[in-house]
Amino acid sequence: MADSGPAGGAALAAPAPGPGSGGPGPRVYFQNPPGAAGEGPGGADDEGPVRRQGKVTVKYDRKELRKRLNLEEWILEQLTRLYNCQEEEIPELEIDVDELLDMESDDTRAARVKELLVDCYKPTEAFISGLLDKIRGMQKLSTPQKK
């Protein structure tokens, strides 16, 4: 009757941070799948969910990722308005936030975005100033290079 298989409710954990990483790293708690309460150390059958501690490595700050996701959603919404079309019909253009963050000033950032939106027939000034306001204070999310 229950449809939870052996992998139902299982969570994945990445390896713990290596030596010299500045501490034990963040802690994440996993909830056992239903019917697995008797498993684990001690085999206690407690009322309520059983929690066991796990460790994961974190490459990026969760707040920065959330900001970036919100920014991307905002950009898509604005582009659908600017181009007066559905998301799937937006002309292929890539607004690289990390590239913009690398630039020296808001003037060069604005010029780059204006360059990307050259085929947009609607005024783009409000979009550009809104984008520059939103990326102000953001951090680059370039992936760390492996040695």
Side-chain angles (χ1 to χ4, degrees), residues 15-25 55-57:
S21 65
K55 293 181 183 180
V56 295
T57 57

Side-chain angles (χ1 to χ4, degrees), residues 58-109:
V58 178
K59 284 187 180 178
Y60 305 115
D61 180 17
R62 188 175 294 214
K63 280 184 179 178
E64 281 301 314
L65 288 174
R66 175 59 55 197
K67 278 186 198 176
R68 192 63 69 103
L69 179 62
N70 290 338
L71 177 65
E72 286 181 17
E73 289 171 350
W74 180 84
I75 289 172
L76 281 174
E77 178 185 319
Q78 295 302 310
L79 290 176
T80 55
R81 289 181 184 170
L82 282 174
Y83 285 96
N84 199 26
C85 64
Q86 296 298 314
E87 183 179 327
E88 303 81 32
E89 300 166 343
I90 296 172
E92 185 142 344
L93 57 95
E94 184 177 335
I95 298 175
D96 186 347
V97 176
D98 287 332
E99 175 191 0
L100 295 175
L101 290 172
D102 276 341
M103 295 180 172
E104 295 294 319
S105 68
D106 277 354
D107 290 337
T108 54
R109 292 180 185 109

Side-chain angles (χ1 to χ4, degrees), residues 3 13 16 19 26 28 51-52 72 81 86 88 108 119 147:
D3 60 301
V28 177
R51 292 168 29 138
R52 59 186 173 94
E72 286 181 17
R81 289 181 184 170
Q86 296 298 314
E88 303 81 32
T108 54
D119 61 344
K147 294 180 181 177

